[in-house]
Amino acid sequence: MLPHKMKISDKAFNALKRLQNNTGLTVNVGARLAFFASIERGYVWSGEEIELKQRELDKYTWLGDYGDLVEMLLKQKYPSLEVKDYYKAWGSHVDDGAFILESKISLSNLLG
């Protein structure tokens, strides 16, 4: 469902780079955490356009072993989306969650 190659927005990339500087977590791991933080927070993508143009990586690098789970959560949250829009929804959740996480100054602060 999600494409083989994926990117995130400039805003998310910059926020996740700050998180990496503070905690040592790489941008792709930060993106996974951001996605799940956004889902947990209850954020809902309203269909607005989002520019996903930073850091092209393959789907497995972005999602790791959680690819099937991410896709299932997106299908559950947005059952009537067209296939091409799931990528935008994922990017929007990463965008939302990145701002939740960027202010974390340590791994213990991130977990607490």
Side-chain angles (χ1 to χ4, degrees), residues 1-6 45 52 59 70-72 74-75 78-91:
M1 170 180 79
L2 291 172
H4 180 67
K5 296 283 187 182
M6 302 189 326
W45 177 60
L52 304 171
K59 182 167 71 170
V70 168
E71 290 183 347
M72 184 218 45
L74 287 169
K75 284 180 185 177
Y78 307 102
S80 59
L81 277 186
E82 293 184 31
V83 172
K84 64 181 176 62
D85 290 329
Y86 283 108
Y87 174 41
K88 295 174 190 172
W90 171 81

Side-chain angles (χ1 to χ4, degrees), residues 8-66:
I8 59 175
S9 72
D10 286 334
K11 289 185 338 183
F13 179 77
N14 292 331
L16 294 171
K17 283 300 285 182
R18 284 189 289 277
L19 178 68
Q20 181 176 10
N21 290 338
N22 291 339
T23 65
L25 291 174
T26 59
V27 170
N28 60 314
V29 172
R32 292 176 210 165
L33 293 172
F35 172 82
F36 290 113
S38 177
I39 291 288
E40 182 178 50
R41 184 174 88 80
Y43 171 79
V44 177
W45 177 60
S46 60
E48 72 279 358
E49 281 299 312
I50 181 169
E51 287 190 42
L52 304 171
K53 58 184 184 177
Q54 272 289 348
R55 185 65 65 94
E56 182 176 75
L57 297 171
D58 65 82
K59 182 167 71 170
Y60 184 78
T61 302
W62 280 122
L63 307 178
D65 292 334
Y66 302 101

